[in-house]
Coordinates of all heavy atoms in Angstrom, one line a residue:
D1 N -37.5 23.0 33.0 CA -38.3 21.8 32.6 C -37.4 20.6 33.0 O -36.2 20.5 32.7 CB -38.6 21.8 31.1 CG -39.2 20.5 30.6 OD1 -40.3 20.2 31.1 OD2 -38.6 19.9 29.7
E2 N -38.0 19.6 33.7 CA -37.3 18.4 34.1 C -36.7 17.6 33.0 O -35.6 17.1 33.1 CB -38.2 17.6 35.1 CG -37.5 16.4 35.7 CD -38.4 15.7 36.6 OE1 -39.2 16.3 37.4 OE2 -38.3 14.4 36.6
D3 N -37.5 17.4 32.0 CA -37.0 16.6 30.9 C -35.8 17.3 30.2 O -34.8 16.6 29.8 CB -38.1 16.4 29.8 CG -39.2 15.5 30.4 OD1 -38.9 14.6 31.2 OD2 -40.3 15.7 29.9
A4 N -35.8 18.6 30.0 CA -34.7 19.3 29.4 C -33.5 19.2 30.3 O -32.3 19.0 29.8 CB -35.0 20.8 29.1
A5 N -33.6 19.3 31.7 CA -32.5 19.2 32.5 C -31.9 17.8 32.4 O -30.7 17.6 32.5 CB -33.0 19.5 34.0
A6 N -32.7 16.8 32.4 CA -32.3 15.4 32.3 C -31.5 15.2 31.0 O -30.5 14.4 31.0 CB -33.4 14.4 32.4
A7 N -31.9 15.8 29.9 CA -31.2 15.7 28.7 C -29.8 16.3 28.7 O -28.9 15.8 28.1 CB -32.0 16.4 27.6
R8 N -29.6 17.3 29.5 CA -28.3 18.0 29.7 C -27.4 17.3 30.7 O -26.2 17.4 30.6 CB -28.5 19.4 30.1 CG -29.1 20.3 29.0 CD -29.1 21.8 29.5 NE -29.7 22.0 30.7 CZ -31.0 22.3 30.9 NH1 -31.8 22.3 29.8 NH2 -31.5 22.6 32.1
D9 N -28.0 16.5 31.6 CA -27.3 16.0 32.7 C -27.4 14.4 32.8 O -28.5 13.9 33.2 CB -27.7 16.6 34.1 CG -27.0 16.1 35.3 OD1 -26.3 15.0 35.2 OD2 -27.1 16.7 36.3
P10 N -26.4 13.7 32.4 CA -26.5 12.2 32.3 C -26.8 11.6 33.7 O -27.6 10.6 33.8 CB -25.2 11.8 31.9 CG -24.5 13.0 31.2 CD -25.1 14.2 31.8
G11 N -26.3 12.2 34.7 CA -26.6 11.7 36.1 C -28.1 11.9 36.5 O -28.7 11.0 37.0
L12 N -28.6 13.0 36.1 CA -30.1 13.2 36.4 C -30.9 12.3 35.5 O -32.0 11.8 35.9 CB -30.5 14.7 36.1 CG -31.9 15.1 36.4 CD1 -32.2 14.9 37.8 CD2 -32.0 16.7 36.1
A13 N -30.5 12.1 34.2 CA -31.2 11.3 33.3 C -31.3 9.8 33.9 O -32.3 9.2 33.9 CB -30.6 11.3 32.0
A14 N -30.1 9.4 34.4 CA -30.0 8.0 35.0 C -30.9 7.9 36.2 O -31.6 6.9 36.4 CB -28.6 7.7 35.4
L15 N -31.0 8.9 37.1 CA -31.9 9.0 38.3 C -33.3 8.9 37.8 O -34.1 8.2 38.3 CB -31.6 10.2 39.1 CG -32.5 10.3 40.3 CD1 -32.2 9.1 41.3 CD2 -32.1 11.6 41.0
D16 N -33.6 9.7 36.8 CA -35.0 9.7 36.3 C -35.4 8.3 35.7 O -36.5 7.9 36.0 CB -35.2 10.8 35.2 CG -36.6 10.9 34.7 OD1 -37.5 11.1 35.6 OD2 -36.8 11.0 33.5
L17 N -34.5 7.7 35.0 CA -34.8 6.4 34.5 C -35.0 5.4 35.6 O -35.9 4.6 35.6 CB -33.7 5.9 33.6 CG -33.8 4.5 33.0 CD1 -35.0 4.4 32.1 CD2 -32.6 4.1 32.2
E18 N -34.2 5.5 36.7 CA -34.3 4.5 37.8 C -35.6 4.7 38.5 O -36.3 3.8 38.8 CB -33.1 4.9 38.8 CG -33.1 3.9 40.0 CD -32.0 4.3 41.0 OE1 -31.0 4.7 40.5 OE2 -32.2 4.1 42.2
Q19 N -36.0 6.0 38.7 CA -37.3 6.3 39.4 C -38.5 5.7 38.5 O -39.4 5.2 39.1 CB -37.5 7.7 39.7 CG -36.5 8.2 40.8 CD -36.6 9.7 41.0 OE1 -37.1 10.4 40.2 NE2 -36.2 10.1 42.2
T20 N -38.5 6.0 37.2 CA -39.4 5.4 36.3 C -39.5 3.9 36.4 O -40.6 3.4 36.4 CB -39.2 5.9 34.9 OG1 -39.1 7.4 34.9 CG2 -40.2 5.5 33.9
Q21 N -38.4 3.3 36.4 CA -38.4 1.8 36.4 C -39.0 1.3 37.7 O -39.7 0.3 37.8 CB -37.0 1.3 36.2 CG -36.6 1.5 34.7 CD -35.1 1.1 34.6 OE1 -34.3 1.1 35.4 NE2 -34.8 0.7 33.3
E22 N -38.7 2.0 38.9 CA -39.2 1.6 40.1 C -40.8 1.7 40.1 O -41.5 0.8 40.6 CB -38.6 2.4 41.2 CG -37.2 2.1 41.6 CD -36.6 3.1 42.6 OE1 -37.4 3.8 43.2 OE2 -35.4 3.0 42.8
R23 N -41.3 2.8 39.6 CA -42.7 3.0 39.5 C -43.3 1.9 38.6 O -44.4 1.3 38.9 CB -43.1 4.4 39.0 CG -42.9 5.5 40.0 CD -43.5 6.8 39.6 NE -42.9 7.3 38.3 CZ -41.9 8.1 38.1 NH1 -41.3 8.5 39.3 NH2 -41.5 8.5 37.0
S24 N -42.7 1.7 37.5 CA -43.2 0.6 36.6 C -43.2 -0.7 37.3 O -44.2 -1.5 37.2 CB -42.3 0.6 35.4 OG -42.8 -0.4 34.5
S25 N -42.2 -1.0 38.1 CA -42.1 -2.3 38.8 C -43.3 -2.4 39.8 O -43.9 -3.5 39.9 CB -40.8 -2.4 39.5 OG -40.7 -3.7 40.2
A26 N -43.6 -1.4 40.5 CA -44.7 -1.4 41.4 C -46.0 -1.6 40.7 O -46.8 -2.4 41.2 CB -44.7 -0.1 42.3
L27 N -46.2 -0.9 39.6 CA -47.4 -1.0 38.9 C -47.6 -2.5 38.3 O -48.7 -3.1 38.3 CB -47.5 0.0 37.8 CG -47.8 1.4 38.2 CD1 -47.6 2.3 37.0 CD2 -49.1 1.6 38.9
R28 N -46.5 -3.0 37.8 CA -46.5 -4.4 37.3 C -46.9 -5.4 38.4 O -47.7 -6.3 38.2 CB -45.2 -4.8 36.8 CG -44.9 -4.3 35.4 CD -43.4 -4.8 35.0 NE -43.0 -4.1 33.8 CZ -43.3 -4.6 32.6 NH1 -43.9 -5.6 32.4 NH2 -42.9 -3.8 31.4
S29 N -46.4 -5.1 39.6 CA -46.7 -6.0 40.8 C -48.2 -5.9 41.1 O -48.9 -6.9 41.4 CB -45.9 -5.6 42.0 OG -46.2 -6.4 43.1
I30 N -48.7 -4.7 41.1 CA -50.1 -4.5 41.5 C -51.0 -5.2 40.3 O -52.0 -5.8 40.7 CB -50.4 -3.0 41.5 CG1 -49.9 -2.4 42.8 CG2 -52.0 -2.7 41.5 CD1 -49.8 -0.8 42.8
Y31 N -50.6 -5.0 39.1 CA -51.4 -5.6 38.1 C -51.3 -7.1 38.1 O -52.3 -7.8 37.9 CB -50.8 -5.1 36.6 CG -51.7 -5.5 35.5 CD1 -52.9 -5.0 35.3 CD2 -51.3 -6.5 34.6 CE1 -53.7 -5.4 34.2 CE2 -52.0 -6.9 33.6 CZ -53.3 -6.3 33.4 OH -54.1 -6.7 32.3
A32 N -50.2 -7.7 38.4 CA -50.1 -9.1 38.5 C -50.9 -9.7 39.7 O -51.6 -10.7 39.6 CB -48.6 -9.5 38.8
R33 N -51.0 -9.0 40.8 CA -51.9 -9.4 41.9 C -53.3 -9.3 41.5 O -54.1 -10.2 41.8 CB -51.6 -8.6 43.2 CG -50.2 -8.9 43.7 CD -50.1 -8.4 45.2 NE -50.4 -6.9 45.3 CZ -49.5 -6.0 45.3 NH1 -48.2 -6.3 45.1 NH2 -49.8 -4.7 45.4
A34 N -53.7 -8.3 40.7 CA -55.1 -8.2 40.3 C -55.4 -9.3 39.3 O -56.6 -9.8 39.4 CB -55.3 -6.8 39.6
Q35 N -54.5 -9.7 38.5 CA -54.7 -10.9 37.6 C -54.9 -12.1 38.4 O -55.8 -13.0 38.2 CB -53.6 -11.0 36.7 CG -53.5 -10.0 35.5 CD -52.4 -10.3 34.6 OE1 -51.2 -10.5 35.0 NE2 -52.6 -10.2 33.3
E36 N -54.0 -12.3 39.5 CA -54.2 -13.5 40.3 C -55.5 -13.6 41.0 O -56.0 -14.7 41.2 CB -53.0 -13.5 41.4 CG -51.6 -13.8 40.8 CD -50.5 -13.4 41.7 OE1 -50.7 -13.1 42.9 OE2 -49.4 -13.5 41.3
R37 N -56.0 -12.4 41.5 CA -57.3 -12.4 42.1 C -58.5 -12.5 41.1 O -59.6 -12.5 41.6 CB -57.5 -11.1 42.9 CG -56.6 -11.0 44.1 CD -56.9 -9.7 44.9 NE -56.8 -8.5 44.3 CZ -55.7 -7.7 44.2 NH1 -54.7 -7.9 44.9 NH2 -55.8 -6.5 43.5
G38 N -58.2 -12.5 39.9 CA -59.3 -12.6 38.8 C -59.9 -11.3 38.6 O -61.0 -11.3 37.9
E39 N -59.4 -10.2 39.0 CA -60.0 -8.9 38.8 C -59.8 -8.3 37.4 O -60.5 -7.5 36.9 CB -59.5 -7.9 39.8 CG -59.8 -8.2 41.3 CD -59.1 -7.4 42.3 OE1 -58.2 -6.7 41.9 OE2 -59.6 -7.5 43.4
V40 N -58.7 -8.8 36.7 CA -58.5 -8.4 35.3 C -58.1 -9.7 34.6 O -57.6 -10.6 35.1 CB -57.3 -7.4 35.2 CG1 -57.7 -6.0 35.8 CG2 -56.0 -7.8 35.7
D41 N -58.4 -9.6 33.3 CA -58.1 -10.8 32.4 C -56.7 -11.1 32.4 O -55.8 -10.2 32.0 CB -58.7 -10.4 31.0 CG -58.6 -11.5 30.0 OD1 -57.9 -12.5 30.2 OD2 -59.4 -11.5 29.1
R42 N -56.4 -12.3 32.6 CA -54.9 -12.8 32.5 C -54.3 -12.7 31.1 O -53.1 -12.8 31.0 CB -54.8 -14.2 33.0 CG -55.1 -14.4 34.5 CD -54.9 -15.9 34.9 NE -55.2 -16.0 36.3 CZ -54.2 -16.0 37.2 NH1 -52.9 -15.9 36.8 NH2 -54.4 -16.2 38.5
N43 N -55.2 -12.7 30.1 CA -54.7 -12.6 28.7 C -54.4 -11.2 28.2 O -53.9 -11.1 27.1 CB -55.8 -13.2 27.8 CG -56.0 -14.7 28.1 OD1 -55.1 -15.5 28.3 ND2 -57.3 -15.0 28.2
I44 N -54.6 -10.2 29.1 CA -54.2 -8.8 28.7 C -52.9 -8.5 29.3 O -52.7 -8.4 30.5 CB -55.3 -7.9 29.2 CG1 -56.7 -8.2 28.6 CG2 -54.9 -6.4 28.8 CD1 -57.8 -7.3 29.0
P45 N -51.9 -8.4 28.4 CA -50.5 -8.1 29.0 C -50.5 -6.7 29.7 O -51.2 -5.8 29.4 CB -49.7 -8.0 27.7 CG -50.4 -8.7 26.7 CD -51.9 -8.5 27.0
Y46 N -49.6 -6.6 30.6 CA -49.4 -5.4 31.4 C -49.3 -4.1 30.5 O -50.0 -3.1 30.8 CB -48.2 -5.5 32.3 CG -47.7 -4.2 32.9 CD1 -48.5 -3.7 34.0 CD2 -46.7 -3.5 32.4 CE1 -48.1 -2.5 34.5 CE2 -46.3 -2.3 33.0 CZ -47.0 -1.8 34.1 OH -46.7 -0.6 34.5
L47 N -48.4 -4.2 29.6 CA -48.3 -3.0 28.8 C -49.5 -2.6 28.0 O -49.8 -1.3 27.8 CB -47.1 -3.1 27.8 CG -45.7 -3.1 28.5 CD1 -44.6 -3.3 27.5 CD2 -45.4 -1.8 29.2
D48 N -50.3 -3.5 27.6 CA -51.6 -3.2 26.9 C -52.5 -2.5 27.9 O -53.2 -1.5 27.6 CB -52.2 -4.4 26.3 CG -51.5 -5.0 25.1 OD1 -50.6 -4.3 24.7 OD2 -51.9 -6.1 24.7
A49 N -52.6 -3.1 29.1 CA -53.4 -2.5 30.2 C -53.0 -1.1 30.4 O -53.8 -0.2 30.6 CB -53.4 -3.4 31.4
F50 N -51.7 -0.9 30.6 CA -51.2 0.4 30.9 C -51.6 1.4 29.8 O -51.9 2.5 30.0 CB -49.6 0.3 31.0 CG -49.0 1.6 31.5 CD1 -49.1 2.0 32.8 CD2 -48.4 2.4 30.6 CE1 -48.4 3.1 33.2 CE2 -47.8 3.6 31.0 CZ -47.8 4.0 32.3
D51 N -51.5 1.0 28.5 CA -51.9 1.8 27.4 C -53.4 2.2 27.5 O -53.7 3.4 27.3 CB -51.7 1.1 26.1 CG -50.2 1.0 25.7 OD1 -49.4 1.7 26.3 OD2 -49.9 0.2 24.8
Y52 N -54.2 1.3 27.9 CA -55.7 1.6 28.0 C -55.9 2.6 29.1 O -56.7 3.5 29.0 CB -56.5 0.3 28.4 CG -56.5 -0.8 27.4 CD1 -56.4 -2.1 27.8 CD2 -56.5 -0.5 26.0 CE1 -56.4 -3.1 26.8 CE2 -56.5 -1.5 25.1 CZ -56.5 -2.8 25.5 OH -56.5 -3.8 24.6
L53 N -55.1 2.5 30.2 CA -55.3 3.4 31.3 C -54.6 4.8 31.1 O -55.2 5.8 31.4 CB -54.7 2.8 32.6 CG -55.4 1.5 33.0 CD1 -54.6 0.8 34.2 CD2 -56.8 1.7 33.5
E54 N -53.4 4.7 30.7 CA -52.7 6.0 30.5 C -53.1 6.8 29.3 O -53.0 8.0 29.2 CB -51.2 5.6 30.4 CG -50.2 6.7 30.5 CD -50.1 7.3 31.9 OE1 -50.6 6.8 32.9 OE2 -49.4 8.3 32.1
G55 N -53.4 6.1 28.2 CA -53.8 6.7 26.9 C -54.7 7.9 27.0 O -54.4 9.0 26.6
P56 N -55.9 7.7 27.6 CA -56.8 8.7 27.8 C -56.3 9.9 28.5 O -56.6 11.2 28.2 CB -58.1 8.1 28.5 CG -57.9 6.7 28.2 CD -56.5 6.4 28.1
L57 N -55.5 9.7 29.6 CA -54.9 10.8 30.3 C -53.9 11.6 29.5 O -53.9 12.9 29.5 CB -54.3 10.3 31.6 CG -55.2 9.7 32.6 CD1 -54.5 9.1 33.8 CD2 -56.2 10.7 33.1
I58 N -53.1 10.9 28.7 CA -52.2 11.6 27.9 C -52.9 12.5 26.8 O -52.5 13.6 26.6 CB -51.2 10.6 27.3 CG1 -50.3 10.0 28.3 CG2 -50.3 11.3 26.1 CD1 -49.4 8.9 27.9
V59 N -53.8 11.9 26.1 CA -54.6 12.6 25.1 C -55.2 13.8 25.7 O -55.1 14.9 25.1 CB -55.6 11.7 24.4 CG1 -56.6 12.4 23.5 CG2 -54.9 10.6 23.6
R60 N -55.9 13.7 26.8 CA -56.6 14.8 27.5 C -55.6 15.9 27.8 O -55.8 17.1 27.6 CB -57.4 14.4 28.7 CG -58.7 13.7 28.3 CD -59.3 13.3 29.7 NE -60.5 12.5 29.3 CZ -61.7 12.9 29.6 NH1 -61.9 14.1 30.2 NH2 -62.8 12.2 29.3
S61 N -54.4 15.5 28.4 CA -53.4 16.5 28.8 C -52.9 17.2 27.6 O -52.5 18.4 27.7 CB -52.3 15.8 29.6 OG -51.5 15.0 28.8
L62 N -52.8 16.6 26.5 CA -52.2 17.2 25.3 C -53.2 18.1 24.5 O -52.9 19.2 24.2 CB -51.6 16.1 24.4 CG -50.4 15.5 24.8 CD1 -50.0 14.3 23.9 CD2 -49.2 16.4 25.0
L63 N -54.4 17.6 24.4 CA -55.5 18.2 23.6 C -56.4 19.1 24.3 O -56.9 20.1 23.8 CB -56.3 17.2 22.8 CG -55.4 16.3 21.8 CD1 -56.3 15.3 21.2 CD2 -54.6 17.1 20.8
F64 N -56.7 18.6 25.6 CA -57.7 19.4 26.4 C -57.2 19.5 27.8 O -57.9 18.9 28.7 CB -59.1 18.6 26.3 CG -59.5 18.2 25.0 CD1 -59.4 16.9 24.6 CD2 -60.0 19.1 24.1 CE1 -59.8 16.4 23.3 CE2 -60.4 18.7 22.8 CZ -60.3 17.4 22.4
P65 N -56.1 20.2 28.0 CA -55.6 20.2 29.4 C -56.5 20.7 30.5 O -56.5 20.3 31.6 CB -54.3 21.1 29.2 CG -54.4 21.7 27.9 CD -55.4 20.9 27.1
S66 N -57.4 21.7 30.1 CA -58.3 22.2 31.1 C -59.3 21.1 31.5 O -59.9 21.3 32.6 CB -59.0 23.4 30.6 OG -59.8 23.1 29.5
S67 N -59.6 20.1 30.7 CA -60.6 19.1 31.1 C -60.1 18.2 32.2 O -60.8 17.4 32.8 CB -61.0 18.3 29.9 OG -59.9 17.4 29.5
L68 N -58.7 18.1 32.5 CA -58.2 17.3 33.5 C -58.8 17.6 34.9 O -59.0 16.7 35.7 CB -56.7 17.3 33.5 CG -56.0 16.7 32.3 CD1 -54.5 16.9 32.4 CD2 -56.3 15.2 32.2
A69 N -59.1 18.9 35.1 CA -59.6 19.3 36.4 C -60.9 18.7 36.7 O -61.4 18.5 37.7 CB -59.6 20.8 36.5
D70 N -61.7 18.4 35.6 CA -63.1 18.0 35.7 C -63.2 16.4 35.6 O -64.2 15.9 35.6 CB -64.0 18.6 34.6 CG -64.1 20.1 34.8 OD1 -64.1 20.6 35.9 OD2 -64.2 20.8 33.7
L71 N -62.0 15.8 35.4 CA -62.0 14.3 35.2 C -62.5 13.5 36.4 O -62.0 13.7 37.5 CB -60.6 13.9 34.8 CG -60.4 12.5 34.3 CD1 -61.2 12.3 33.1 CD2 -58.9 12.3 34.0
D72 N -63.4 12.7 36.2 CA -64.0 11.8 37.2 C -63.1 10.5 37.2 O -63.3 9.5 36.5 CB -65.4 11.4 37.0 CG -66.0 10.6 38.1 OD1 -65.2 10.1 38.9 OD2 -67.3 10.6 38.1
L73 N -62.0 10.5 38.1 CA -61.1 9.4 38.0 C -61.7 8.1 38.5 O -61.4 7.1 38.1 CB -59.9 9.7 39.0 CG -59.0 10.8 38.4 CD1 -57.9 11.1 39.4 CD2 -58.3 10.4 37.1
A74 N -62.7 8.2 39.4 CA -63.4 6.9 39.9 C -64.1 6.3 38.7 O -64.0 5.1 38.6 CB -64.3 7.3 41.1
A75 N -64.9 7.1 38.0 CA -65.6 6.6 36.9 C -64.6 6.0 35.8 O -64.9 5.0 35.2 CB -66.5 7.7 36.2
M76 N -63.6 6.7 35.6 CA -62.6 6.3 34.6 C -62.0 4.9 35.1 O -61.8 4.1 34.2 CB -61.5 7.3 34.5 CG -60.5 7.0 33.4 SD -59.4 8.4 33.2 CE -58.3 7.8 31.9
A77 N -61.7 4.8 36.4 CA -61.1 3.6 36.9 C -62.2 2.4 36.7 O -61.9 1.3 36.4 CB -60.8 3.7 38.4
D78 N -63.4 2.7 37.0 CA -64.5 1.7 36.8 C -64.6 1.2 35.4 O -64.7 0.1 35.1 CB -65.9 2.3 37.2 CG -66.0 2.4 38.7 OD1 -65.2 1.8 39.5 OD2 -66.9 3.1 39.2
R79 N -64.5 2.2 34.4 CA -64.5 1.8 33.0 C -63.3 0.9 32.7 O -63.4 0.0 31.9 CB -64.6 3.1 32.1 CG -65.9 3.7 32.1 CD -66.1 4.8 31.1 NE -65.1 5.9 31.2 CZ -65.3 6.9 32.0 NH1 -66.4 7.1 32.7 NH2 -64.4 7.9 32.0
A80 N -62.1 1.3 33.1 CA -60.9 0.6 32.9 C -61.1 -0.9 33.4 O -60.7 -1.8 32.7 CB -59.7 1.2 33.5
I81 N -61.6 -1.1 34.6 CA -61.8 -2.4 35.1 C -62.7 -3.2 34.3 O -62.5 -4.4 34.0 CB -62.3 -2.4 36.6 CG1 -61.1 -1.8 37.5 CG2 -62.7 -3.7 37.1 CD1 -59.9 -2.5 37.6
T82 N -63.8 -2.5 33.8 CA -64.7 -3.2 32.9 C -64.0 -3.7 31.6 O -64.2 -4.8 31.2 CB -65.9 -2.3 32.5 OG1 -66.6 -1.9 33.7 CG2 -66.9 -3.0 31.6
I83 N -63.2 -2.9 31.0 CA -62.5 -3.2 29.8 C -61.5 -4.3 30.1 O -61.4 -5.2 29.3 CB -61.7 -1.9 29.3 CG1 -62.7 -0.9 28.8 CG2 -60.8 -2.2 28.2 CD1 -62.1 0.4 28.5
L84 N -60.8 -4.3 31.2 CA -59.8 -5.2 31.5 C -60.2 -6.6 32.1 O -59.5 -7.5 32.2 CB -58.7 -4.6 32.4 CG -58.0 -3.4 31.9 CD1 -57.1 -2.8 32.9 CD2 -57.1 -3.8 30.7
S85 N -61.5 -6.6 32.4 CA -62.0 -7.9 33.1 C -62.7 -8.7 32.1 O -62.9 -8.5 31.0 CB -62.8 -7.6 34.3 OG -63.9 -6.7 34.0

């Protein structure tokens, strides 16, 4: 398990943190551009938007992992845009 390996190896943990921060930075940039274009509400902070998007995926993966295969990501993205705009 990658998380367990990172817990044992400080170098791996630092690399994992760096990669996570890079992904987060890219997502923040995408979200900021969407706000500038008026596609999402400027009053919704990035972390709140991330929670709205990521939350359902985390819940499904923990409680109903088999349902992820049937997930309609396009419909989910459409609903998220509706919520965030």
Side-chain angles (χ1 to χ4, degrees):
D1 174 62
E2 186 177 319
D3 292 332
R8 291 188 305 272
D9 182 343
L12 183 57
L15 179 61
D16 187 47
L17 177 61
E18 180 182 328
Q19 290 176 340
T20 300
Q21 288 173 337
E22 287 175 10
R23 284 191 301 270
S24 179
S25 177
L27 290 173
R28 282 179 189 270
S29 178
I30 291 167
Y31 188 71
R33 288 195 309 267
Q35 284 180 315
E36 290 167 6
R37 291 189 303 263
E39 295 172 348
V40 295
D41 187 336
R42 289 179 179 267
N43 296 315
I44 299 175
Y46 165 76
L47 288 176
D48 289 352
F50 188 78
D51 289 345
Y52 296 142
L53 298 170
E54 190 77 4
L57 292 173
I58 291 172
V59 169
R60 284 176 186 248
S61 69
L62 293 173
L63 300 178
F64 312 104
S66 63
S67 73
L68 291 175
D70 299 326
L71 188 61
D72 184 346
L73 292 176
M76 188 174 178
D78 287 342
R79 286 190 301 273
I81 295 298
T82 300
I83 291 168
L84 297 172
S85 53

